[in-house]
Amino acid sequence: MFKKTLLILLASSSMLLAAININTASKEELTKIKGIGDKKAEAIIEYRNANGPFKSIDDIKNVKGIGDKNLELIRNEIIIEDTPQKP
């Protein structure tokens, strides 16, 4: 029983530590980032749709409502990965 509980806890903690790809994340995924509510999640998606994928983590500061302080709070929770190219 202890081993099973430990495995569940380890699996859960690794999911909590998983960074969110801001180039592909849905609104629901983005709202899991601390300090990102519905409006900021929508702004991230709107910016991404209008300007293409983020090229660096710092580019998120170009989104209305996200500045240096916000970035420092979320820097370890977000990642930038290439988005799949359409054929």
Side-chain angles (χ1 to χ4, degrees):
M1 180 70 172
F2 176 74
K3 287 182 182 180
K4 185 176 181 180
T5 304
L6 181 60
L7 287 174
I8 291 170
L9 286 173
L10 288 173
S12 299
S13 65
S14 67
M15 284 188 274
L16 291 174
L17 297 176
I20 294 175
N21 182 359
I22 60 173
N23 280 334
T24 59
S26 66
K27 178 179 171 182
E28 291 75 26
E29 291 168 321
L30 290 168
T31 59
K32 293 178 182 175
I33 301 168
K34 67 181 163 202
I36 303 295
D38 287 341
K39 295 213 185 253
K40 284 185 185 173
E42 289 170 4
I44 291 168
I45 292 169
E46 286 175 20
Y47 180 89
R48 185 175 71 197
N49 289 339
N51 300 287
F54 294 94
K55 299 202 179 357
S56 77
I57 298 265
D58 290 339
D59 285 349
I60 200 165
K61 293 190 304 183
N62 295 327
V63 175
K64 184 178 180 181
I66 299 179
D68 291 328
K69 289 181 183 181
N70 298 111
L71 175 59
E72 291 314 310
L73 287 173
I74 66 173
R75 184 178 293 279
N76 294 327
E77 294 185 48
I78 61 176
I79 58 172
I80 303 294
E81 290 183 356
D82 292 334
T83 54
Q85 297 294 322
K86 293 181 181 177

